[in-house]
Amino acid sequence: MKTTILMLCLLIAFNSIAQSDNHTDSLNLKTVDDLAFMKGTWKGDGWIMMNRERKEFTQTETIDSRVDNTILVIDGIGIAKDSSAVEPKVVHNAFGVISYNETLKSITMLSFSSTGGKMENEMRLIGDMKLEWSFKDERGGTVRFREDFSENGLWIEKGDYSFDGNQWFPFFEMRLERQDDKW
């Protein structure tokens, strides 16, 4: 009898662990179908803290799916608002690929930028049409970005920095509007 109860408890525990593992995957999918809300051309304004000074910019992001809808490609460019130069001053130039990473069993974004080089970060779904991704910087702190697409036709992204993972300081925000109806 004790053996039967023990086996039953182990079976229930194993089943609970197996089920919870399925829910710990970032988005628990092998295609980017659940991120279709990101697709489209987006334009708007934002600001970033650079050398303790707030810089404002105009941002354009284009997101589309490729390779039988297994990846999303993101192309973004930001132009300084205070640029009085003949040629627009590019303050942000980046390209990204969002895909399912089989090794990590999660969605990741491989990004390339003119200022930050190349990095791959895990993306997490933190709410309905809300994403988060982060990375450690060279000072040992954490840079975190949260993207909110939950309001129809609006993309709000905020960047925060933390030295200790507890107290967060905003350094970036952009508010973009959808320019097309791809989604």
Side-chain angles (χ1 to χ4, degrees), residues 108-126:
T108 61
M109 178 173 56
L110 181 60
S111 59
F112 305 85
S113 77
S114 58
T115 57
K118 171 186 163 185
M119 67 176 75
E120 185 172 15
N121 301 290
E122 184 176 358
M123 297 185 80
R124 293 172 294 284
L125 190 61
I126 58 170

Side-chain angles (χ1 to χ4, degrees), residues 72-153:
L72 285 179
V73 293
I74 306 170
D75 195 4
I77 190 158
I79 306 294
K81 278 191 169 183
D82 62 354
S83 180
S84 59
V86 175
E87 293 293 319
K89 182 179 178 186
V90 176
V91 294
H92 174 72
N93 189 0
F95 182 81
V97 177
I98 297 174
S99 65
Y100 183 79
N101 182 311
E102 190 65 46
T103 304
L104 296 175
K105 302 280 189 236
S106 67
I107 292 292
T108 61
M109 178 173 56
L110 181 60
S111 59
F112 305 85
S113 77
S114 58
T115 57
K118 171 186 163 185
M119 67 176 75
E120 185 172 15
N121 301 290
E122 184 176 358
M123 297 185 80
R124 293 172 294 284
L125 190 61
I126 58 170
D128 187 33
M129 299 172 70
K130 296 178 183 181
L131 303 164
E132 178 181 282
W133 57 279
S134 61
F135 60 91
K136 295 284 186 187
D137 75 350
E138 66 277 356
R139 298 172 292 187
T142 302
V143 177
R144 174 182 71 187
F145 290 93
R146 290 185 167 176
E147 301 175 358
D148 183 348
F149 294 85
S150 64
E151 198 174 320
N152 192 27

Side-chain angles (χ1 to χ4, degrees), residues 38-64:
M38 296 176 71
K39 288 196 250 182
T41 300
W42 302 81
K43 291 184 180 181
D45 299 317
W47 59 267
I48 187 167
M49 294 300 293
M50 297 176 71
N51 300 323
R52 297 181 188 202
E53 190 177 333
R54 182 177 162 137
K55 300 282 187 180
E56 295 189 0
F57 58 88
T58 300
Q59 185 75 15
T60 301
E61 300 270 350
T62 304
I63 303 176
D64 205 359

